[in-house]
PDB file of all heavy atoms in Angstrom:
ATOM      1  N   GLN A 578     -86.988-136.495  36.307  1.00  0.00           N
ATOM      2  CA  GLN A 578     -85.779-136.415  35.496  1.00  0.00           C
ATOM      3  C   GLN A 578     -85.320-137.813  35.078  1.00  0.00           C
ATOM      4  O   GLN A 578     -85.490-138.727  35.877  1.00  0.00           O
ATOM      5  CB  GLN A 578     -84.626-135.831  36.288  1.00  0.00           C
ATOM      6  CG  GLN A 578     -84.813-134.304  36.668  1.00  0.00           C
ATOM      7  CD  GLN A 578     -83.672-133.817  37.454  1.00  0.00           C
ATOM      8  OE1 GLN A 578     -83.504-134.197  38.634  1.00  0.00           O
ATOM      9  NE2 GLN A 578     -82.866-132.971  36.851  1.00  0.00           N
ATOM     10  N   GLN A 579     -84.813-137.903  33.846  1.00  0.00           N
ATOM     11  CA  GLN A 579     -84.222-139.178  33.373  1.00  0.00           C
ATOM     12  C   GLN A 579     -82.861-138.851  32.769  1.00  0.00           C
ATOM     13  O   GLN A 579     -82.657-138.840  31.565  1.00  0.00           O
ATOM     14  CB  GLN A 579     -85.130-139.767  32.359  1.00  0.00           C
ATOM     15  CG  GLN A 579     -84.733-141.205  31.883  1.00  0.00           C
ATOM     16  CD  GLN A 579     -85.461-142.239  32.688  1.00  0.00           C
ATOM     17  OE1 GLN A 579     -86.659-142.107  33.035  1.00  0.00           O
ATOM     18  NE2 GLN A 579     -84.868-143.321  32.956  1.00  0.00           N
ATOM     19  N   PRO A 580     -81.869-138.456  33.694  1.00  0.00           N
ATOM     20  CA  PRO A 580     -80.561-138.043  33.126  1.00  0.00           C
ATOM     21  C   PRO A 580     -79.854-139.185  32.417  1.00  0.00           C
ATOM     22  O   PRO A 580     -79.090-138.936  31.460  1.00  0.00           O
ATOM     23  CB  PRO A 580     -79.764-137.724  34.439  1.00  0.00           C
ATOM     24  CG  PRO A 580     -80.498-138.382  35.548  1.00  0.00           C
ATOM     25  CD  PRO A 580     -81.943-138.540  35.112  1.00  0.00           C
ATOM     26  N   LYS A 581     -80.157-140.435  32.783  1.00  0.00           N
ATOM     27  CA  LYS A 581     -79.581-141.531  32.073  1.00  0.00           C
ATOM     28  C   LYS A 581     -80.629-142.578  31.835  1.00  0.00           C
ATOM     29  O   LYS A 581     -81.692-142.579  32.450  1.00  0.00           O
ATOM     30  CB  LYS A 581     -78.415-142.214  32.856  1.00  0.00           C
ATOM     31  CG  LYS A 581     -77.179-141.306  33.063  1.00  0.00           C
ATOM     32  CD  LYS A 581     -76.095-142.006  33.827  1.00  0.00           C
ATOM     33  CE  LYS A 581     -74.919-141.161  34.005  1.00  0.00           C
ATOM     34  NZ  LYS A 581     -73.806-141.803  34.810  1.00  0.00           N
ATOM     35  N   LYS A 582     -80.311-143.503  30.903  1.00  0.00           N
ATOM     36  CA  LYS A 582     -81.382-144.469  30.607  1.00  0.00           C
ATOM     37  C   LYS A 582     -81.691-145.425  31.773  1.00  0.00           C
ATOM     38  O   LYS A 582     -82.851-145.823  31.908  1.00  0.00           O
ATOM     39  CB  LYS A 582     -80.850-145.462  29.422  1.00  0.00           C
ATOM     40  CG  LYS A 582     -81.822-146.416  28.851  1.00  0.00           C
ATOM     41  CD  LYS A 582     -81.311-147.130  27.715  1.00  0.00           C
ATOM     42  CE  LYS A 582     -82.344-148.110  27.238  1.00  0.00           C
ATOM     43  NZ  LYS A 582     -81.822-148.933  26.053  1.00  0.00           N
ATOM     44  N   ASN A 583     -80.737-145.594  32.654  1.00  0.00           N
ATOM     45  CA  ASN A 583     -80.986-146.507  33.833  1.00  0.00           C
ATOM     46  C   ASN A 583     -81.181-145.704  35.101  1.00  0.00           C
ATOM     47  O   ASN A 583     -81.202-146.303  36.163  1.00  0.00           O
ATOM     48  CB  ASN A 583     -79.843-147.517  33.945  1.00  0.00           C
ATOM     49  CG  ASN A 583     -78.518-146.754  34.299  1.00  0.00           C
ATOM     50  OD1 ASN A 583     -78.332-145.583  34.000  1.00  0.00           O
ATOM     51  ND2 ASN A 583     -77.605-147.493  34.907  1.00  0.00           N
ATOM     52  N   LEU A 584     -81.314-144.396  35.089  1.00  0.00           N
ATOM     53  CA  LEU A 584     -81.423-143.588  36.304  1.00  0.00           C
ATOM     54  C   LEU A 584     -82.691-142.675  36.120  1.00  0.00           C
ATOM     55  O   LEU A 584     -82.788-141.983  35.124  1.00  0.00           O
ATOM     56  CB  LEU A 584     -80.237-142.801  36.496  1.00  0.00           C
ATOM     57  CG  LEU A 584     -80.239-141.816  37.654  1.00  0.00           C
ATOM     58  CD1 LEU A 584     -80.407-142.510  39.008  1.00  0.00           C
ATOM     59  CD2 LEU A 584     -78.947-140.938  37.678  1.00  0.00           C
ATOM     60  N   ARG A 585     -83.517-142.709  37.148  1.00  0.00           N
ATOM     61  CA  ARG A 585     -84.724-141.938  37.211  1.00  0.00           C
ATOM     62  C   ARG A 585     -84.862-141.240  38.518  1.00  0.00           C
ATOM     63  O   ARG A 585     -84.699-141.836  39.549  1.00  0.00           O
ATOM     64  CB  ARG A 585     -86.017-142.770  36.934  1.00  0.00           C
ATOM     65  CG  ARG A 585     -87.258-141.990  36.826  1.00  0.00           C
ATOM     66  CD  ARG A 585     -88.372-142.892  36.280  1.00  0.00           C
ATOM     67  NE  ARG A 585     -89.632-142.184  36.175  1.00  0.00           N
ATOM     68  CZ  ARG A 585     -90.578-142.283  37.147  1.00  0.00           C
ATOM     69  NH1 ARG A 585     -90.386-142.994  38.277  1.00  0.00           N
ATOM     70  NH2 ARG A 585     -91.771-141.703  36.974  1.00  0.00           N
ATOM     71  N   LEU A 586     -85.091-139.924  38.452  1.00  0.00           N
ATOM     72  CA  LEU A 586     -85.193-139.117  39.656  1.00  0.00           C
ATOM     73  C   LEU A 586     -86.554-138.432  39.719  1.00  0.00           C
ATOM     74  O   LEU A 586     -86.982-137.959  38.647  1.00  0.00           O
ATOM     75  CB  LEU A 586     -84.072-138.071  39.772  1.00  0.00           C
ATOM     76  CG  LEU A 586     -82.658-138.635  39.673  1.00  0.00           C
ATOM     77  CD1 LEU A 586     -81.646-137.446  39.628  1.00  0.00           C
ATOM     78  CD2 LEU A 586     -82.302-139.533  40.870  1.00  0.00           C
ATOM     79  N   LYS A 651     -87.420-139.215  45.346  1.00  0.00           N
ATOM     80  CA  LYS A 651     -87.267-140.679  45.115  1.00  0.00           C
ATOM     81  C   LYS A 651     -86.328-140.917  43.893  1.00  0.00           C
ATOM     82  O   LYS A 651     -86.327-140.117  42.932  1.00  0.00           O
ATOM     83  CB  LYS A 651     -88.635-141.367  44.790  1.00  0.00           C
ATOM     84  CG  LYS A 651     -89.564-141.316  45.962  1.00  0.00           C
ATOM     85  CD  LYS A 651     -90.868-142.115  45.672  1.00  0.00           C
ATOM     86  CE  LYS A 651     -91.766-142.259  46.915  1.00  0.00           C
ATOM     87  NZ  LYS A 651     -92.980-142.982  46.686  1.00  0.00           N
ATOM     88  N   GLY A 652     -85.545-142.042  43.985  1.00  0.00           N
ATOM     89  CA  GLY A 652     -84.641-142.320  42.918  1.00  0.00           C
ATOM     90  C   GLY A 652     -84.689-143.769  42.640  1.00  0.00           C
ATOM     91  O   GLY A 652     -85.005-144.657  43.430  1.00  0.00           O
ATOM     92  N   TYR A 653     -84.359-144.076  41.287  1.00  0.00           N
ATOM     93  CA  TYR A 653     -84.423-145.441  40.744  1.00  0.00           C
ATOM     94  C   TYR A 653     -83.242-145.666  39.872  1.00  0.00           C
ATOM     95  O   TYR A 653     -82.963-144.878  38.945  1.00  0.00           O
ATOM     96  CB  TYR A 653     -85.717-145.618  39.969  1.00  0.00           C
ATOM     97  CG  TYR A 653     -86.981-145.224  40.669  1.00  0.00           C
ATOM     98  CD1 TYR A 653     -87.361-143.856  40.529  1.00  0.00           C
ATOM     99  CD2 TYR A 653     -87.782-146.054  41.348  1.00  0.00           C
ATOM    100  CE1 TYR A 653     -88.529-143.436  41.158  1.00  0.00           C
ATOM    101  CE2 TYR A 653     -88.886-145.661  41.996  1.00  0.00           C
ATOM    102  CZ  TYR A 653     -89.320-144.392  41.921  1.00  0.00           C
ATOM    103  OH  TYR A 653     -90.412-143.934  42.506  1.00  0.00           O
ATOM    104  N   LEU A 654     -82.459-146.601  40.180  1.00  0.00           N
ATOM    105  CA  LEU A 654     -81.189-146.966  39.440  1.00  0.00           C
ATOM    106  C   LEU A 654     -81.208-148.421  39.067  1.00  0.00           C
ATOM    107  O   LEU A 654     -81.226-149.329  39.914  1.00  0.00           O
ATOM    108  CB  LEU A 654     -80.002-146.626  40.317  1.00  0.00           C
ATOM    109  CG  LEU A 654     -78.652-146.947  39.587  1.00  0.00           C
ATOM    110  CD1 LEU A 654     -78.406-146.093  38.337  1.00  0.00           C
ATOM    111  CD2 LEU A 654     -77.514-146.640  40.592  1.00  0.00           C
ATOM    112  N   ASP A 655     -81.210-148.674  37.744  1.00  0.00           N
ATOM    113  CA  ASP A 655     -81.220-150.079  37.240  1.00  0.00           C
ATOM    114  C   ASP A 655     -79.793-150.469  36.826  1.00  0.00           C
ATOM    115  O   ASP A 655     -79.212-149.931  35.908  1.00  0.00           O
ATOM    116  CB  ASP A 655     -82.151-150.105  35.967  1.00  0.00           C
ATOM    117  CG  ASP A 655     -82.430-151.559  35.509  1.00  0.00           C
ATOM    118  OD1 ASP A 655     -81.726-152.437  36.090  1.00  0.00           O
ATOM    119  OD2 ASP A 655     -83.279-151.743  34.712  1.00  0.00           O
ATOM    120  N   LEU A 656     -79.348-151.461  37.517  1.00  0.00           N
ATOM    121  CA  LEU A 656     -77.925-151.927  37.296  1.00  0.00           C
ATOM    122  C   LEU A 656     -77.953-153.394  36.786  1.00  0.00           C
ATOM    123  O   LEU A 656     -77.039-154.144  37.055  1.00  0.00           O
ATOM    124  CB  LEU A 656     -77.123-151.887  38.605  1.00  0.00           C
ATOM    125  CG  LEU A 656     -76.920-150.495  39.194  1.00  0.00           C
ATOM    126  CD1 LEU A 656     -76.187-150.519  40.556  1.00  0.00           C
ATOM    127  CD2 LEU A 656     -76.167-149.601  38.142  1.00  0.00           C
ATOM    128  N   GLY A 657     -78.999-153.796  36.133  1.00  0.00           N
ATOM    129  CA  GLY A 657     -79.101-155.145  35.630  1.00  0.00           C
ATOM    130  C   GLY A 657     -79.605-156.115  36.704  1.00  0.00           C
ATOM    131  O   GLY A 657     -80.813-156.261  36.851  1.00  0.00           O
ATOM    132  N   HIS A 658     -78.712-156.728  37.417  1.00  0.00           N
ATOM    133  CA  HIS A 658     -79.105-157.684  38.425  1.00  0.00           C
ATOM    134  C   HIS A 658     -79.490-156.987  39.759  1.00  0.00           C
ATOM    135  O   HIS A 658     -79.808-157.578  40.745  1.00  0.00           O
ATOM    136  CB  HIS A 658     -78.021-158.728  38.678  1.00  0.00           C
ATOM    137  CG  HIS A 658     -77.968-159.822  37.610  1.00  0.00           C
ATOM    138  ND1 HIS A 658     -78.517-161.023  37.733  1.00  0.00           N
ATOM    139  CD2 HIS A 658     -77.457-159.748  36.403  1.00  0.00           C
ATOM    140  CE1 HIS A 658     -78.256-161.714  36.652  1.00  0.00           C
ATOM    141  NE2 HIS A 658     -77.640-160.968  35.803  1.00  0.00           N
ATOM    142  N   HIS A 659     -79.250-155.690  39.831  1.00  0.00           N
ATOM    143  CA  HIS A 659     -79.553-154.870  40.958  1.00  0.00           C
ATOM    144  C   HIS A 659     -80.542-153.727  40.449  1.00  0.00           C
ATOM    145  O   HIS A 659     -80.208-153.026  39.562  1.00  0.00           O
ATOM    146  CB  HIS A 659     -78.373-154.261  41.629  1.00  0.00           C
ATOM    147  CG  HIS A 659     -77.511-155.380  42.346  1.00  0.00           C
ATOM    148  ND1 HIS A 659     -77.640-155.719  43.571  1.00  0.00           N
ATOM    149  CD2 HIS A 659     -76.535-156.118  41.764  1.00  0.00           C
ATOM    150  CE1 HIS A 659     -76.739-156.608  43.841  1.00  0.00           C
ATOM    151  NE2 HIS A 659     -76.010-156.908  42.711  1.00  0.00           N
ATOM    152  N   TYR A 660     -81.603-153.509  41.221  1.00  0.00           N
ATOM    153  CA  TYR A 660     -82.554-152.353  40.971  1.00  0.00           C
ATOM    154  C   TYR A 660     -82.672-151.662  42.309  1.00  0.00           C
ATOM    155  O   TYR A 660     -83.387-152.071  43.180  1.00  0.00           O
ATOM    156  CB  TYR A 660     -83.875-152.887  40.471  1.00  0.00           C
ATOM    157  CG  TYR A 660     -84.778-151.779  40.032  1.00  0.00           C
ATOM    158  CD1 TYR A 660     -84.489-150.936  38.936  1.00  0.00           C
ATOM    159  CD2 TYR A 660     -86.014-151.448  40.728  1.00  0.00           C
ATOM    160  CE1 TYR A 660     -85.283-149.885  38.535  1.00  0.00           C
ATOM    161  CE2 TYR A 660     -86.836-150.433  40.312  1.00  0.00           C
ATOM    162  CZ  TYR A 660     -86.506-149.652  39.244  1.00  0.00           C
ATOM    163  OH  TYR A 660     -87.345-148.662  38.844  1.00  0.00           O
ATOM    164  N   VAL A 661     -81.862-150.547  42.492  1.00  0.00           N
ATOM    165  CA  VAL A 661     -81.760-149.807  43.675  1.00  0.00           C
ATOM    166  C   VAL A 661     -82.797-148.675  43.646  1.00  0.00           C
ATOM    167  O   VAL A 661     -82.912-147.959  42.670  1.00  0.00           O
ATOM    168  CB  VAL A 661     -80.315-149.301  43.774  1.00  0.00           C
ATOM    169  CG1 VAL A 661     -80.248-148.586  45.188  1.00  0.00           C
ATOM    170  CG2 VAL A 661     -79.392-150.405  43.728  1.00  0.00           C
ATOM    171  N   GLN A 662     -83.515-148.516  44.807  1.00  0.00           N
ATOM    172  CA  GLN A 662     -84.439-147.464  44.980  1.00  0.00           C
ATOM    173  C   GLN A 662     -84.167-146.720  46.352  1.00  0.00           C
ATOM    174  O   GLN A 662     -83.759-147.452  47.328  1.00  0.00           O
ATOM    175  CB  GLN A 662     -85.912-147.969  44.952  1.00  0.00           C
ATOM    176  CG  GLN A 662     -86.278-148.641  43.697  1.00  0.00           C
ATOM    177  CD  GLN A 662     -87.617-149.355  43.780  1.00  0.00           C
ATOM    178  OE1 GLN A 662     -88.615-148.635  43.902  1.00  0.00           O
ATOM    179  NE2 GLN A 662     -87.709-150.656  43.797  1.00  0.00           N
ATOM    180  N   TRP A 663     -84.298-145.452  46.375  1.00  0.00           N
ATOM    181  CA  TRP A 663     -84.124-144.709  47.630  1.00  0.00           C
ATOM    182  C   TRP A 663     -85.112-143.614  47.685  1.00  0.00           C
ATOM    183  O   TRP A 663     -85.715-143.200  46.653  1.00  0.00           O
ATOM    184  CB  TRP A 663     -82.680-144.234  47.705  1.00  0.00           C
ATOM    185  CG  TRP A 663     -82.372-143.201  46.680  1.00  0.00           C
ATOM    186  CD1 TRP A 663     -82.494-141.870  46.755  1.00  0.00           C
ATOM    187  CD2 TRP A 663     -81.885-143.454  45.372  1.00  0.00           C
ATOM    188  NE1 TRP A 663     -82.020-141.257  45.608  1.00  0.00           N
ATOM    189  CE2 TRP A 663     -81.607-142.195  44.765  1.00  0.00           C
ATOM    190  CE3 TRP A 663     -81.411-144.637  44.700  1.00  0.00           C
ATOM    191  CZ2 TRP A 663     -81.139-142.104  43.420  1.00  0.00           C
ATOM    192  CZ3 TRP A 663     -80.947-144.504  43.419  1.00  0.00           C
ATOM    193  CH2 TRP A 663     -80.790-143.279  42.819  1.00  0.00           C
ATOM    194  N   ILE A 717     -84.019-147.029  51.682  1.00  0.00           N
ATOM    195  CA  ILE A 717     -83.183-147.540  50.625  1.00  0.00           C
ATOM    196  C   ILE A 717     -83.419-149.039  50.446  1.00  0.00           C
ATOM    197  O   ILE A 717     -83.546-149.755  51.486  1.00  0.00           O
ATOM    198  CB  ILE A 717     -81.661-147.228  50.826  1.00  0.00           C
ATOM    199  CG1 ILE A 717     -80.882-147.718  49.637  1.00  0.00           C
ATOM    200  CG2 ILE A 717     -81.191-147.872  52.111  1.00  0.00           C
ATOM    201  CD1 ILE A 717     -79.359-147.187  49.677  1.00  0.00           C
ATOM    202  N   GLN A 718     -83.504-149.519  49.222  1.00  0.00           N
ATOM    203  CA  GLN A 718     -83.709-150.926  48.988  1.00  0.00           C
ATOM    204  C   GLN A 718     -83.159-151.338  47.653  1.00  0.00           C
ATOM    205  O   GLN A 718     -82.886-150.506  46.763  1.00  0.00           O
ATOM    206  CB  GLN A 718     -85.196-151.240  49.068  1.00  0.00           C
ATOM    207  CG  GLN A 718     -86.103-150.814  47.901  1.00  0.00           C
ATOM    208  CD  GLN A 718     -87.469-151.353  47.939  1.00  0.00           C
ATOM    209  OE1 GLN A 718     -88.190-151.253  48.983  1.00  0.00           O
ATOM    210  NE2 GLN A 718     -88.006-151.941  46.852  1.00  0.00           N
ATOM    211  N   ASP A 719     -82.952-152.668  47.597  1.00  0.00           N
ATOM    212  CA  ASP A 719     -82.368-153.162  46.344  1.00  0.00           C
ATOM    213  C   ASP A 719     -83.174-154.443  46.048  1.00  0.00           C
ATOM    214  O   ASP A 719     -83.273-155.327  46.849  1.00  0.00           O
ATOM    215  CB  ASP A 719     -80.867-153.490  46.622  1.00  0.00           C
ATOM    216  CG  ASP A 719     -80.149-153.931  45.375  1.00  0.00           C
ATOM    217  OD1 ASP A 719     -80.734-153.923  44.342  1.00  0.00           O
ATOM    218  OD2 ASP A 719     -78.995-154.409  45.466  1.00  0.00           O
ATOM    219  N   ASN A 720     -83.531-154.565  44.768  1.00  0.00           N
ATOM    220  CA  ASN A 720     -84.187-155.759  44.297  1.00  0.00           C
ATOM    221  C   ASN A 720     -83.032-156.502  43.461  1.00  0.00           C
ATOM    222  O   ASN A 720     -82.488-156.007  42.529  1.00  0.00           O
ATOM    223  CB  ASN A 720     -85.284-155.423  43.282  1.00  0.00           C
ATOM    224  CG  ASN A 720     -86.509-154.933  44.041  1.00  0.00           C
ATOM    225  OD1 ASN A 720     -86.396-154.397  45.168  1.00  0.00           O
ATOM    226  ND2 ASN A 720     -87.714-155.020  43.465  1.00  0.00           N
ATOM    227  N   ILE A 721     -82.732-157.678  44.032  1.00  0.00           N
ATOM    228  CA  ILE A 721     -81.468-158.391  43.517  1.00  0.00           C
ATOM    229  C   ILE A 721     -81.860-159.696  42.810  1.00  0.00           C
ATOM    230  O   ILE A 721     -82.614-160.473  43.409  1.00  0.00           O
ATOM    231  CB  ILE A 721     -80.610-158.736  44.726  1.00  0.00           C
ATOM    232  CG1 ILE A 721     -80.361-157.502  45.581  1.00  0.00           C
ATOM    233  CG2 ILE A 721     -79.277-159.308  44.249  1.00  0.00           C
ATOM    234  CD1 ILE A 721     -79.729-157.797  46.961  1.00  0.00           C
TER     235      ILE A 721
END
Side-chain angles (χ1 to χ4, degrees):
Q578 295 178 286
Q579 190 94 34
K581 296 182 179 179
K582 186 177 181 181
N583 64 337
L584 176 63
R585 183 170 179 263
L586 304 174
K651 292 185 177 181
Y653 311 85
L654 179 62
D655 189 350
L656 299 175
H658 284 261
H659 293 267
Y660 186 65
V661 182
Q662 302 174 66
W663 65 89
I717 184 169
Q718 72 174 48
D719 187 7
N720 289 21
I721 309 167

